[in-house]
Amino acid sequence: MTDLTRLTAAETAAKIASGETSAVEVAQAHLDRIAAIDEKVHAFLHVDTDGALAAARAVDDKRARGEKLGPLAGVPLALKDIFTTEGVPTTVGSKILEGWIPPYDATVTKRLKAAGIVILGKTNMDEFAMGSSTENSAYGPTSNPWDLTRIPGGSGGGSSAALASFQAPLAIGTDTGGSIRQPAAVTGTVGVKPTYGGVSRYGMVAFSSSLDQGGPCARTVLDAALLHEAIAGHDPLDSTSIDAPVPPVVEAARNGDVKGLRVGVVKEFAGEGYQAGVMQRFNESVELLRELGAEVVELSCPSFSYALAAYYLIAPSECSSNLARFDGLRYGLRTGDDGTRSAEEVTSLTREAGFGPEVKRRIMLGTYALSSGYYDAYYGSAQKVRTLITRDFERAFTDVDVLVSPTTPTTAFPIGERADDPMAMYLADLCTIPANLAGNAAMSLPCGLAPEDGLPVGLQIIAPALADDRLYRVGAAVEAAFTARWGHPLLEEAPTL
Ligand code: GLN
């Protein structure tokens, strides 16, 4: 009998549509897998068994009535716990929202449900999506299925670990500075940060609103494209949502091709701090692109060197303002409300008890950077750097169609190694942050295992804003050629748990 948890999303949907298996059987197989192994991985914060089975039953009933099913109907999905889900807990990995049951669905949640996608539960994450390892979750870390002593990336480590441990074929992440792509890279999965504004932020708990972007996570490029199409598109409830047609991502994923494509290798994405095995796999991928008919050009984006510094002023500034809403008065945790204290004291005690150390660090940084006297020196300068980075991209994209780089400088590091060193942690996003600052579309896909530690390496592809389809056209070509030559790292070599 086929192991239903090993199939791709596209294969699963086809089997359900043909009646070879039912959506309920598929959901049950994944729920059983979660029950069997998630104790070791800790990908999920909440498993919605009843909701998942009910959604699966609805798909089976629809099919029984002879109605047409969507391309992902009945396929299970792991949802990052940053999206509101009506009637299902949403914590953002924080104690401040422990026990909160949202009264409404995020637009992404709504669209998943409308597509007949079966939401298995909510995945673990760094508190408020601040981190690169999922160790900042208030509910304990998630392990990397390739090596349980290592991090699965962050902030969306729960989503990527769920994919890599075959607990779900699809997942949703959010990427403010790399939280979809970096976890994808270190778990051997595919993750896409769509163009900023491509997927609605309505009901996605805000970290840094000008950077936050939800997007698809999967084990194959085609599956990611199918999910991208299901969640993308204009949403009047999000003022920064783009009112333009969704780029033809599925068509692109089905027609992988790089012939004649101009591919840029950015000089600044290399050097000190980059692991030798990561660079080796990256260079092989560039060679592969060349063999497939792409024209490879080396170019320089000098402002990228300042991206990390600018990000760590802009993101904390926006977070200090966004997180002001957690006042202990309206919803979520309330501490010290014993009838003797003022509202201000209750707010202060609640925030002291409810936020973890990284969140507090960022609120303080951001408040400082935005305060009068420092605004121009810090926040204002960071915004200028942001403009320079956007210009570097614009210049690069007049010479090339896409840029490529390693997604992360290193493979998955051991849990605990960088936990007390925020600067070392921040470096994990060196290659991913520029695309967030400029709003471009970017993907990470597996490009083999590093020889020195046998852990997955990610190849990052960056495309201009609104050219998300380019990522999938290139990604599908690389994935096919790579798999034909070396095998698929996750599908063939993934450790069994
Ligand atoms: N690791 C980065 C940070 O800590 C990015 C997080 C994200 O993309 N959500 O801010």
Side-chain angles (χ1 to χ4, degrees):
M1 206 188 87
T2 358
D3 179 350
L4 295 173
T5 65
R6 292 264 152 180
L7 302 175
T8 67
E11 289 164 349
T12 305
K15 280 193 196 295
I16 292 170
S18 72
E20 201 182 320
T21 185
S22 70
V24 167
E25 281 175 306
V26 171
Q28 194 57 58
H30 286 87
L31 291 166
D32 291 347
R33 173 97 181 141
I34 294 169
I37 65 156
D38 203 42
E39 214 180 324
K40 291 189 214 155
V41 180
H42 193 222
F44 286 91
L45 290 177
H46 179 82
V47 179
D48 184 18
T49 305
D50 294 344
L53 290 173
R57 226 171 287 122
V59 171
D60 289 337
D61 290 348
K62 200 170 167 187
R63 185 180 175 275
R65 289 195 301 270
E67 290 174 40
K68 199 172 159 2
L69 299 179
L72 288 176
V75 179
L77 174 138
L79 183 59
K80 189 174 181 181
D81 203 22
I82 193 169
F83 290 91
T84 57
T85 39
E86 188 181 345
V88 174
T90 300
T91 68
V92 208
S94 180
K95 289 282 179 206
I96 212 151
L97 280 182
E98 191 169 21
W100 182 56
I101 312 276
Y104 72 108
D105 275 336
T107 295
V108 164
T109 310
K110 265 205 202 100
R111 290 190 179 175
L112 293 170
K113 289 181 178 174
I117 293 169
V118 172
I119 301 172
L120 294 170
K122 309 294 290 290
T123 56
N124 198 13
M125 54 182 286
D126 285 301
E127 185 176 6
F128 281 95
M130 298 173 193
S132 306
S133 68
T134 314
E135 290 164 287
N136 293 337
S137 166
Y139 302 98
T142 295
S143 284
N144 190 319
W146 288 83
D147 175 347
L148 296 174
T149 69
R150 290 178 187 258
I151 59 105
S155 60
S159 285
S160 63
L163 294 173
S165 56
F166 296 87
Q167 300 190 65
L170 295 175
I172 296 281
T174 63
D175 195 310
T176 303
S179 287
I180 288 177
R181 290 162 287 159
Q182 183 256 6
V186 300
T187 56
T189 57
V190 178
V192 175
K193 183 197 92 67
T195 298
Y196 178 76
V199 171
S200 171
R201 288 188 295 113
Y202 180 74
M204 190 176 114
V205 179
F207 160 15
S208 177
S209 307
S210 76
L211 300 163
D212 296 344
Q213 184 55 68
C217 309
R219 290 190 291 257
T220 69
V221 171
L222 176 61
D223 284 359
L226 291 164
L227 184 55
H228 190 136
E229 199 169 68
I231 58 172
H234 182 238
D235 178 12
L237 298 176
D238 170 1
S239 63
T240 56
S241 163
I242 295 172
D243 192 0
V246 178
V249 292
V250 173
E251 201 237 17
R254 292 195 196 279
N255 296 286
D257 188 12
V258 298
K259 252 185 231 88
L261 189 91
R262 296 164 308 161
V263 175
V265 175
V266 181
K267 242 185 20 219
E268 282 75 14
F269 287 139
E272 202 193 329
Y274 286 79
Q275 191 179 321
V278 167
M279 286 320 287
Q280 184 185 329
R281 292 297 178 239
F282 171 66
N283 291 331
E284 286 166 7
S285 304
V286 172
E287 201 41 55
L288 185 70
L289 281 162
R290 211 178 261 130
E291 285 172 35
L292 293 173
E295 182 197 329
V296 178
V297 182
E298 192 183 298
L299 42 83
S300 171
C301 292
S303 306
F304 284 13
S305 315
Y306 307 106
L308 203 65
Y311 174 89
Y312 278 100
L313 285 166
I314 293 168
S317 295
E318 292 186 12
C319 109
S320 72
S321 160
N322 269 326
L323 270 55
R325 77 193 62 180
F326 299 97
D327 56 10
L329 305 180
R330 286 173 286 188
Y331 50 87
L333 184 74
R334 179 181 298 177
T335 308
D337 183 15
D338 60 3
T340 69
R341 293 191 172 94
S342 68
E344 209 176 335
E345 284 171 316
V346 171
T347 295
S348 162
L349 287 169
T350 301
R351 288 166 71 84
E352 166 63 31
F355 289 139
E358 182 63 21
V359 173
K360 286 178 182 155
R361 178 179 299 125
R362 303 232 186 161
I363 292 174
M364 284 193 288
L365 260 172
T367 307
Y368 182 78
L370 289 177
S371 58
S372 84
Y374 296 111
Y375 184 96
D376 284 337
Y378 295 114
Y379 186 73
S381 307
Q383 290 291 18
K384 285 180 192 155
V385 170
R386 187 174 190 174
T387 302
L388 294 177
I389 288 166
T390 307
R391 286 195 194 140
D392 273 359
F393 271 120
E394 281 166 3
R395 210 173 309 114
F397 286 127
T398 59
D399 293 334
V400 297
D401 302 301
V402 294
L403 298 171
V404 293
S405 78
T407 308
T408 57
T410 70
T411 54
F413 44 88
I415 292 176
E417 189 186 83
R418 302 188 193 179
D420 300 322
D421 186 351
M423 284 309 288
M425 189 70 87
Y426 297 172
L427 287 172
D429 297 312
L430 207 55
C431 311
T432 47
I433 279 175
N436 296 85
L437 290 169
N440 299 106
M443 169 189 279
S444 177
L445 79 161
C447 67
L449 306 177
E452 60 269 55
D453 54 21
L455 292 168
V457 177
L459 170 69
Q460 176 174 235
I461 308 167
I462 309 176
L466 294 176
D468 306 44
D469 50 318
R470 249 180 242 176
L471 304 175
Y472 290 96
R473 198 173 296 282
V474 179
V478 171
E479 181 184 62
F482 197 96
T483 309
R485 188 165 311 178
W486 292 297
H488 190 289
L490 179 60
L491 306 183
E492 286 163 30
E493 298 180 47
T496 47
L497 270 159

